[in-house]
Amino acid sequence: MEQIDQDKIQEAVKMILEAIGDDPEREGIQDTPKRVAKMYSEVFAGMFQDPKEHLKTVFGEDHEELVLVKDIPFYSMCEHHLVPFFGKAHIGYLPQGGKVTGLSKIARALESVASRPQLQERITSTVADSMVETLNPRGVIVVVEAEHMCMTMRGVNKPGSKTVTSAVRGAFENSEAARSEVLSLIKE
C-alpha cells in the first residue's frame, strides 16, 4: 500500500519556513516540519482509500424508504490553496432490494473522500456516485455546506460565508416531490 512520504513533507516545510524568512532551527518551530508531516498523514489519509469499500458493508432489511444522515461534520483541504474547508454533509438514499448500509459507513465514505486535496463539488458528487455504484439504491441525495478558509483568511476575506453543493441521483433527480421532501427534512 502506498503511503505519505513524511520525510519529503518535512523537507518541504523546512524550505517553506526558510522561504518566508524564518529560521527552521528556531526553538519554537524546530519540530514544526515533523508535526506538519504527521498532521498531513492524518489529514490526507483518504489518498489511498476507496469510499466504496466502506459502503460494501450491507445488511438485509426490508426497508425501502428514505434513510437520511444529517449534519455529518467533515474537514478537507482546498486543492487550490492547501488551506482547510469544513462544514457538514447531509446524505440520504432510498434503499432497494432489501439492503441497507451501516449509518457509520456513510460517514466513513464521506471522510475518505474529504481526506485528500479536494474541491467541495467533487466531494459531493463522489459520495453520491459511490453510493449509487455500491448500493444500487433507487435514489441518492448529497448536500454539503462548507466554509472555505481560502475565502475567509485570504482573497476576499469573507468569514462566515458558506458554499452549498448538491448531487441528486435516481428518484431524487427525477421526482421534484421526493427531492423537496428530503430537502425539507434536511432543513429541520
Side-chain angles (χ1 to χ4, degrees), residues 55 57-59 61 63-69 90-96 98-103 105-106 127-128 131-132 134-142 169 171-172 182:
L55 299 169
T57 301
V58 294
F59 306 96
E61 185 62 39
H63 181 85
E64 295 199 357
E65 300 301 317
L66 175 66
V67 176
L68 174 63
V69 183
H90 316 284
I91 303 171
Y93 73 107
L94 294 168
Q96 175 168 258
K99 72 178 182 182
V100 297
T101 192
L103 301 177
K105 303 306 182 191
I106 294 170
V127 170
M131 291 185 71
V132 167
T134 309
L135 300 173
N136 191 32
R138 290 183 295 123
V140 171
I141 186 165
V142 178
R169 306 288 187 266
F172 295 116
V182 75

Side-chain angles (χ1 to χ4, degrees), residues 8-26:
K8 195 178 254 187
I9 293 171
Q10 288 182 47
E11 284 301 311
V13 171
K14 185 176 178 183
M15 289 173 63
I16 290 170
L17 291 170
E18 290 169 346
I20 64 170
D22 211 333
D23 176 8
E25 299 305 318
R26 183 169 59 81

Side-chain angles (χ1 to χ4, degrees), residues 19-120:
I20 64 170
D22 211 333
D23 176 8
E25 299 305 318
R26 183 169 59 81
E27 182 182 354
I29 61 172
Q30 265 181 337
D31 290 333
T32 296
K34 188 182 297 180
R35 287 190 294 265
V36 171
K38 184 178 179 187
M39 176 195 67
Y40 274 20
S41 290
E42 294 172 23
V43 171
F44 296 126
M47 289 297 298
F48 308 107
Q49 297 176 5
D50 181 351
K52 292 178 273 201
E53 288 301 313
H54 298 291
L55 299 169
K56 287 181 178 177
T57 301
V58 294
F59 306 96
E61 185 62 39
D62 188 25
H63 181 85
E64 295 199 357
E65 300 301 317
L66 175 66
V67 176
L68 174 63
V69 183
K70 293 175 29 171
D71 300 324
I72 308 168
F74 78 93
Y75 302 88
S76 193
M77 293 286 262
C78 165
E79 69 180 35
H80 297 146
H81 303 99
L82 287 183
V83 294
F85 65 98
F86 57 92
K88 56 188 175 179
H90 316 284
I91 303 171
Y93 73 107
L94 294 168
Q96 175 168 258
K99 72 178 182 182
V100 297
T101 192
L103 301 177
S104 68
K105 303 306 182 191
I106 294 170
R108 288 189 192 283
L110 169 67
E111 187 174 298
S112 80
V113 173
S115 297
R116 54 185 81 166
Q118 201 50 282
L119 296 174
Q120 180 175 333

Side-chain angles (χ1 to χ4, degrees), residues 163-179:
T163 300
V164 178
T165 53
S166 68
V168 291
R169 306 288 187 266
F172 295 116
E173 186 176 22
N174 301 323
S175 169
E176 188 174 326
R179 190 170 51 254

